[in-house]
Amino acid sequence: MDTNGATTSSTASGGSTSKSSSKKHSRKPVYSRFTQQELPACKPILTPGLVIATFTIIGIIFIPLGLVSLSASEKVVEIVDRYDESCVPSNYSNDKLKFIQNPSINKSCVRTLTVPKLMKSPVFIYYQLDNYYQNHRRYVKSRSDKQLRSVSDEKSTTDCSPEDKTVDGPIVPCGLVAWSLFNDTYWFSVNSKTIEVNKHDIAWKSDKEHKFGSNVYPKNFQSGGLIGGAKLNSSVPLSKQEDLMVWMRTAALPTFRKLYGKIEQDLQANEKIQVVIQNNYNTYSFSGKKKLVLSTTSWIGGKNDFLGIAYIIVGGLCLFLAVCFILLYVIKPRPLGDPSYLSWNRSPAGHPN
């Protein structure tokens, strides 16, 4: 019996089995140009000419854009008046919180604003709050969008605590956002003639049509012991309460402006505007500030110098870098290498082009 032959045969058989087994369980992917990222692609070589041209083009485009943006911003006429401290009587100057929390004290205040330039209609009226964190997580979540949309979800107040319900039933609209609705009011007049303030179409169209229901009415709102802000007319549906819609769009930053209304008449230069302010809203407990803003707009929006300045700085920096690269290339040039030696221009080992 040829035992050596049997051994050799069995060894060969075992070796082929292990090879086929390792090949079967191998995690090595099957070669393809796609898996090996060898498909044709645009791989630009950053030559000095290309870099200099790119920086120059960016500078040539950005600087004029910045100048145009700055010019548009300069054409916006804006009046900003901080009134939270001026509208507190002198005998309460050291205890503003006591003043604002006392309902028996008259909160009316008269301010005089001077129009610096001709303000063409529409003139937008904003109230600005500083140091007011509407983006606080607890505050932002304290609302019920389901309840705002549909009367059938009136009892959906899970996230609205502590302003979720009263002994008479659920609060509509519930939550801290609605409860803290801004309630200062403004009346305007010029030469003893009242200026009408248009408060229609100050909210987003999508809010009026989709987020606030036409069959949802305020219920049990601001009826508790602690009043947070403005009250709502219970006979008017939420889809018509535009002040509420504007307020419910919470701000991302602690300083923000919200639209109060529009003046649809021109305000002449040097005119004196008498503003009667009802100073109701409490910002004194957290050292907040209140400002009244009157502003026109341009094609770029309200007054905002940042965009124009940013364009000019970036454009100027790009032109400066372009000049530096030109000087460097002229004074101390470097020869370019042969692109054929780049990895993507050579065939991979064992795989012809």
Side-chain angles (χ1 to χ4, degrees), residues 123 125 186-189 193-199 261-265:
V123 178
I125 306 168
Y186 314 108
W187 290 271
F188 300 86
S189 62
K193 293 181 181 178
T194 301
I195 299 176
E196 295 295 330
V197 176
N198 182 4
K199 296 181 72 69
K262 294 176 285 186
I263 297 174
E264 296 183 331
Q265 70 179 62

Side-chain angles (χ1 to χ4, degrees), residues 61-91:
I61 293 174
F62 274 37
I63 290 177
L65 275 177
L67 293 173
V68 171
S69 300
L70 269 181
S71 175
S73 179
E74 287 299 317
K75 291 178 181 177
V76 174
V77 184
E78 186 176 88
I79 304 172
V80 181
D81 179 56
R82 180 182 174 185
Y83 64 88
D84 57 290
E85 290 185 340
S86 304
C87 287
V88 176
S90 57
N91 54 324

Side-chain angles (χ1 to χ4, degrees), residues 179-191:
W179 173 79
S180 59
L181 176 61
F182 187 77
N183 63 341
D184 282 7
T185 55
Y186 314 108
W187 290 271
F188 300 86
S189 62
V190 175
N191 299 325

